[in-house]
Amino acid sequence: MKTSNDYANQINELFINSACSILNIANVFVQAKHDLSKTDYDDFLKLTKYAEKSASVRKWLRIGDAYVRLAPLADRLPPNWSTIYKLATLKANELDALIEANV
């Protein structure tokens, strides 16, 4: 029979997986924008059901741009892409202060 710790560990692992998936999705958006021609990038957006000028694409790209500094923190990130976006918009010293404060 599972214990409360077993269930909590399962949820925490899923949270980490979700944060990693958010970061990886954002990284793919950045790679696609960088690697594809404008026409192919537009096709990519259509295939993923996003409009180029949408706030969502802007947020995915911003998170993707911060991938290198956020990926090592994946186990501390919430499974919420809007919150991860807000963290991606922070200056390096602001993010460092949050890490130092264990927030």
Side-chain angles (χ1 to χ4, degrees):
M1 180 169 190
K2 285 188 177 183
T3 67
S4 57
N5 279 340
D6 293 331
Y7 285 110
N9 288 338
Q10 186 176 2
I11 290 296
N12 289 330
E13 184 176 327
L14 291 168
F15 282 168
I16 292 168
N17 291 342
S18 294
C20 287
S21 290
I22 290 166
L23 294 173
N24 288 329
I25 290 167
N27 196 39
V28 170
F29 269 88
V30 169
Q31 290 174 355
K33 185 168 178 77
H34 180 264
D35 294 345
L36 298 174
S37 68
K38 171 74 170 125
T39 302
D40 287 342
Y41 181 68
D42 289 343
D43 288 343
F44 160 76
L45 292 175
K46 285 178 191 170
L47 291 167
T48 56
K49 298 178 179 40
Y50 282 99
E52 181 179 9
K53 304 245 185 236
S54 73
S56 295
V57 170
R58 182 178 46 80
K59 289 177 181 179
W60 281 124
L61 291 171
R62 185 64 181 255
I63 294 168
D65 288 340
Y67 178 85
V68 171
R69 69 184 173 127
L70 293 178
L73 305 172
D75 63 331
R76 299 175 68 186
L77 296 175
N80 182 298
W81 85 293
S82 292
T83 304
I84 293 175
Y85 165 73
K86 291 206 183 266
L87 293 171
T89 65
L90 296 177
K91 295 177 184 168
N93 63 330
E94 294 171 324
L95 184 60
D96 291 342
L98 290 174
I99 294 166
E100 282 287 317
N102 201 29
V103 175

